[in-house]
Amino acid sequence: MKIKSKKELLYRIKDENGCSNIGGIAIDRNETLYCVKSSTDNKKQCLYVIKNYKSAKKEKGFVTPSRTHNYERLGHANSLTLSGGYLYVGTDKNYIVKLSASKLSTGKYDAGEKIVLKKNVKQANGTNKLTDATDISISSIANINGSEFVLHFSKPAEDGTNRIYFNKDVKSYTEKTPKGEQKHKYIEYSSAGKFEYKYPDDLKSSIGEHAPQDVYYKNGYLYFILAGKDEESDEFKTSYILKYKLGKSKCLGYDSFTSPNKNTNKFEIESMHIVGKNLVFSVNESKKTMVNVEEKTANNWDAIYITRDWVLA
């Protein structure tokens, strides 16, 4: 099932602290929306807390966040998911960061707990040793139940028109240090839990160059986002959201989104959340504008959109 739904702009989110690239979003039961923007070099991040996200205060189309928190350890911050009162941030590095949502929403800073990606490496004596997986990054993450997650791992030169995800649990190990035993959490990189989700034939033949974005899980269904690149401008201008039954390779349907504004330079869906029957999603968006008779690109244009009564919800 191929559809093209209507969308409605909720608001735009101003750049802060040099952070201009919107990434992951998540919405809790109290209708508080969390989202992160990162700097172009991924060294700085700004985490926004927007309470009552549907009716949040706006000024000239830009939302007034309830809280903002500055970070330097959240990487690209391209994926967010909530579980048990905690916000998990996918960093596009070899770790995720676990943050207290209640602290963030009340204005308290939380440095967070780093959960590192590790793999078992066979040693010379024949035993296995847990070692940091430095050649792999976690590009998207969605919570299924408690400590169980669906993850997408990125490796150099990955391509293809099917998408491979992994079901993984957060595990613990104990490290002996001069200060005594310390417990750490990690996610193990291995072939266990690997599953391939296939693109529908019509999309596979037409999508061309594209990039995977975030993944989202709800009520037994998995959604993932693809950004398609426009050949003429070499910019991401069309985004797709595909729906699957968890653990089933056949696509149940997909939706596509573009900007109706002819001056839009980029329209790239980064992340999503479903509230009831409504789809809420973040867009890395820019537009062409004239400044002193010269065409410029306005980058301070990232936005939150909503599709009400979404067919795929």
Side-chain angles (χ1 to χ4, degrees):
M1 178 174 63
K2 176 182 176 181
I3 57 176
K4 189 172 180 62
S5 298
K6 293 182 179 180
K7 61 187 178 298
E8 174 188 335
L9 175 67
L10 283 181
Y11 35 71
R12 302 197 182 275
I13 301 177
K14 284 186 177 180
D15 299 346
E16 295 283 350
N17 194 33
C19 299
S20 58
N21 181 33
I22 198 166
I25 67 166
I27 301 171
D28 67 17
R29 294 177 181 177
N30 298 318
E31 297 202 336
T32 296
L33 185 148
Y34 304 85
C35 69
V36 185
K37 294 181 103 174
S38 59
S39 58
T40 53
D41 60 6
N42 295 329
K43 291 183 178 180
K44 294 181 179 180
Q45 305 83 33
C46 187
L47 192 155
Y48 302 79
V49 181
I50 303 169
K51 296 184 177 181
N52 301 314
Y53 76 94
K54 285 187 290 188
S55 58
K57 182 181 177 182
K58 292 183 289 187
E59 185 176 345
K60 295 181 179 180
F62 287 87
V63 70
T64 302
S66 309
R67 312 282 183 189
T68 57
H69 302 275
N70 293 322
Y71 284 91
E72 294 183 355
R73 66 182 311 196
L74 303 184
H76 195 49
N78 49 297
S79 183
L80 298 183
T81 190
L82 285 159
S83 177
Y86 290 94
L87 188 68
Y88 293 82
V89 184
T91 60
D92 210 20
K93 295 180 180 293
N94 70 330
Y95 62 87
I96 59 177
V97 177
K98 178 183 177 183
L99 302 169
S100 169
S102 61
K103 284 185 178 180
L104 296 172
S105 64
T106 55
K108 297 177 182 177
Y109 182 82
D110 182 24
E113 178 183 7
K114 185 182 284 189
I115 302 173
V116 179
L117 185 64
K118 292 182 175 288
K119 55 185 176 181
N120 268 308
V121 178
K122 184 167 283 190
Q123 306 299 299
N125 62 5
T127 62
N128 288 332
K129 181 181 178 181
L130 275 177
T131 306
D132 287 1
T134 57
D135 61 333
I136 306 161
S137 62
I138 300 173
S139 62
S140 54
I141 178 170
N143 183 256
I144 299 177
N145 183 19
S147 64
E148 186 179 358
F149 295 86
V150 170
L151 300 104
H152 180 250
F153 298 126
S154 292
K155 299 183 73 174
E158 182 193 49
D159 56 14
T161 52
N162 291 331
R163 196 56 55 191
I164 296 173
Y165 288 85
F166 295 77
N167 287 16
K168 294 291 182 181
D169 289 316
V170 174
K171 301 178 180 179
S172 298
Y173 73 98
T174 302
E175 179 185 24
K176 292 182 179 180
T177 71
K179 295 182 180 180
E181 292 186 345
Q182 293 185 353
K183 285 190 175 182
H184 302 278
K185 291 180 179 177
Y186 73 99
I187 292 173
E188 183 180 354
Y189 177 76
S190 68
S191 60
K194 179 179 178 180
F195 196 86
E196 184 176 25
Y197 292 89
K198 297 180 179 180
Y199 291 12
D201 290 341
D202 60 335
L203 184 61
K204 184 184 292 188
S205 62
S206 65
I207 190 169
E209 187 176 353
H210 63 286
Q213 302 295 337
D214 206 359
V215 61
Y216 178 76
Y217 171 84
K218 186 173 184 179
N219 297 337
Y221 293 96
L222 187 69
Y223 302 80
F224 62 81
I225 303 166
L226 304 174
K229 185 170 282 190
D230 178 66
E231 289 185 3
E232 184 177 339
S233 65
D234 202 36
E235 292 281 3
F236 292 108
K237 287 192 173 183
T238 303
S239 290
Y240 306 86
I241 300 178
L242 289 72
K243 180 179 181 179
Y244 295 81
K245 184 74 175 176
L246 183 66
K248 301 292 184 181
S249 63
K250 183 180 179 181
C251 180
L252 300 176
Y254 69 94
D255 206 344
S256 62
F257 297 87
T258 57
S259 173
N261 190 332
K262 66 179 181 180
N263 293 321
T264 296
N265 196 48
K266 178 168 64 174
F267 189 89
E268 182 180 1
I269 297 179
E270 297 284 343
S271 186
M272 62 173 281
H273 202 100
I274 296 173
V275 184
K277 289 292 185 180
N278 296 334
L279 166 68
V280 183
F281 56 94
S282 59
V283 177
N284 187 336
E285 190 172 3
S286 61
K287 70 169 185 175
K288 296 176 182 177
T289 185
M290 299 300 294
V291 179
N292 297 326
V293 200
E294 185 180 352
E295 189 176 80
K296 300 273 188 179
T297 298
N299 291 314
N300 192 12
W301 211 241
D302 291 344
I304 302 294
Y305 284 84
I306 187 170
T307 294
R308 304 182 192 277
D309 296 319
W310 191 41
V311 174
L312 297 180

